[in-house]
Amino acid sequence: MQFPESWLREFCNPPLSSQQLADTLTMAGLEVEECRPAAPPFTGVVVARIEHIEPHPQAERLRVCQVDVGTAERLQIVCGAPNARVGLVAPCALVGAVLPPAADGQPLHIGLGQLRGVPSHGMLCSAQELGIADDAAGLLELPAEAPVGQDVRQYLQLDDAIFTLKLTTNLAHCLSVYGVARELAALTGAPLHTPAWPQVAATHTEVLPVQVQAPDLCGRFSGRIVRGIDPQARTPGWMVQRLARCGQRSVSALVDISNYVMFEFGRPSHIFDLAQIEGGLQVRWGRAGETLQLLNGQTVAVDEQVGVIADAQALESLAGIMGGAATAVGAATRDVFVEAAFWWPQAIAGRSRRYHFSTDAGHRFERGVDPATTVQHLERITELIVQICGGQPGPIADQVINVPQPQPVALRVARAAKVIGMPLTQAQSAQALRRLGLEVSEEQGTLSVTPPPHRFDLQIEEDLIEEVARLIGYQNLPHTPPQAPVTALVRPERRRGPYALRRQLAQRGYQETINFSFVQERWERDWAGNAEPIALLNPIASQMSVMRSSLMGSLLAVLKFNTDRKAERVRVFELGRVFAHDAAVPDGPYSVAGVAQPLRVAALAWGDAQPQQWGVAARSVDFYDLKGDLQALLAPRQPRFEPASHPALHPGRCAQVWLDGQAIGYIGELHPRWRQQEGWQQAPVLFELDLAPLLQRELVQAQPVPRHQPVQRDLAVVLPERVGHDELLGVVRAADGSGWLKDVCLFDIYRPKLGHNAGASGVAEGEKSCALRLTLERDDANLTDAQIESVVQAVLAALSAQLQARLRA
């Protein structure tokens, strides 16, 4: 909300400077986002009148003007403005004046000059040259009665401050200058100048019939006919100026009057061209198939959820939002119908956003506008219409159908003191609320407040506590140190924080992404195998209708975004929550009944394994690259990988990750079906793991330097093709009962070619030859050949018994 300080001070004028006024409003919750002067600084500019004009002898577009600036002698000024004429009153910068900075950022100093050989003693100014507006088409025209010689800053009140307030949704009663003044009077104790509501006498008896058919849409409807107006009447300069400083341009006298009263008292209204109304008006909900062309030129389709005002033939207005083009006032309008109504906030909320626009009227009505003042505001509008446009008003027809009935709200003083955090008496609380004009009744320890009609936000005890805190002043709250000692929570060494995990992934070349937890239902069905995802009741977009149960979809969407923009190499990860149905989850302060919300970490790699360089040949990233990154995250703990299936991953290139006997996630290559669907020539590889196990880590312990040399023995054993790496090494390690086997490594695999003679290599089809390197070491002595051979034979015996392996000849 934007308004000039001078207008605010007409209603309430506390002895505060502009900055103190802004600070007072901000500390009371009415945040002043900006406080700036109406015009930038300049000096030496006065009101002047052009008395005589002659053509310039050397320039066709220039004219020599004799200008009265309030001194004994007229000034000769050369001017090229197209609207310069005899009798025009405009600002004149005298010799020595300093104007606001131009495009180069330097202030403009006015001196005695010559234009094409003709002396010029100053400069007649446009609005742009004074920094008032962007209009540079001609001189700024001032009213003919403006006092010649007076300083322009004083005449136009250019030292007036413009306040811009950033109001929260519960402060709808402050969406007007009078509403802000009412708050200011309560905060400072300065008197509030309540307006004396006019009563414009009716000069005829004609009333337009209005039927309110939807009491849940319109609670009160007031209107009157005004005949014989002058639609060509000019809006007074003072009104144009105030509207401009509220951020509203002048349109026409009737439209300006309606906007002026809206900014003044917060009451949006609408003025219909009476001649365009067929029969009477109906206030009702829309009907499917009906359309309306609005004042902004947009044609909208309405339904049973949108309120409308209609006549006997067609729709004429979107209720509480915007009028229709058919009944808009124009140059031919002579008779008007002025409407002021109370629209239920829930009937207006969200309607304009359905049509992708917003209006000042809708912004106010969906937050709540005082239903008790429709007649008073209608009288104010009528008074301004008669003053500016003339006309003969008729009687006001006022229908009170269904207005809110304020319910008393109780405030426990002890509860308020506890919430605010300071000692508080009942007298202090009652005084604060009464300063706001609230009706307060007292009992021992309890206050009962009946909210006035304009305070839609006072509904529960906490609302009243907030009002008490605002009036006491947040800056007056005591600084109470904590009574208990503040002790930092020390994380155990065996547990690392999520940020350490993030840094480790970033060090391995991955970039973190943060994505919405709302995803497409298709992602859950196709990529997570979740047929019943958690659906949102009110999604922010149709493609974000369910909660994700996997992070993979979010990372694939990030990959799609990057590859669509020709990214050649992508490494991304995300650490976030997923959501799934789980009946075992209870309701609590950090949980929702029936919904599991675990934290997970997921990563995706796509493109070349290494950035392009001359020293290493380019190759695509594969399963083992990502597996190495995953193992680095868990080191020194060793995960186990088992073949598995996952809806999003390749059926033959997917593994389940196990750690300490617990399945913690999946790793694999994207399923070919989804890769082809997205149009990727190369398959991305992904992993997704539960976060909790990754935060546990083993502490490194110092070991003494070995005193004896280790011994290595290589074995080549023939195994069935079905035996996996982990199973093989597990049998080897378990076979050693001496404790001398320190390490085992698989360093080569041989498979025969199809149709190859098994006799030549000793390996038949369906078999493979695995070369193992055993590292043995004894801490207290050197190993003998017999001891080494006993370990080797124990390993071979275990392989033969458990895996049907044989030593390769």
Side-chain angles (χ1 to χ4, degrees), residues 443-465:
E443 296 181 5
Q444 184 60 39
T446 305
L447 303 178
S448 180
V449 176
T450 301
H454 63 273
R455 293 302 300 268
F456 286 80
D457 58 310
L458 302 181
Q459 298 180 1
I460 58 176
E461 184 179 34
E462 284 72 13
D463 298 330
L464 297 180
I465 294 175

Side-chain angles (χ1 to χ4, degrees), residues 465-531:
I465 294 175
E466 180 183 4
E467 297 304 294
V468 172
R470 287 198 313 119
L471 269 293
I472 290 176
Y474 296 123
Q475 68 277 14
N476 295 323
L477 297 181
H479 297 275
T480 305
Q483 297 178 0
V486 178
T487 305
L489 180 62
V490 180
R491 180 184 294 114
E493 281 191 90
R494 292 185 176 275
R495 180 177 174 82
R496 60 179 170 178
Y499 288 103
L501 192 67
R502 288 185 170 100
R503 286 192 293 270
Q504 192 170 355
L505 280 164
Q507 289 167 358
R508 301 193 69 82
Y510 291 82
Q511 294 183 331
E512 183 175 10
T513 66
I514 301 175
N515 301 291
F516 279 110
S517 297
F518 319 133
V519 299
Q520 298 184 36
E521 188 175 2
R522 178 181 66 84
W523 295 4
E524 286 296 296
R525 182 182 64 251
D526 295 346
W527 296 344
N530 186 4

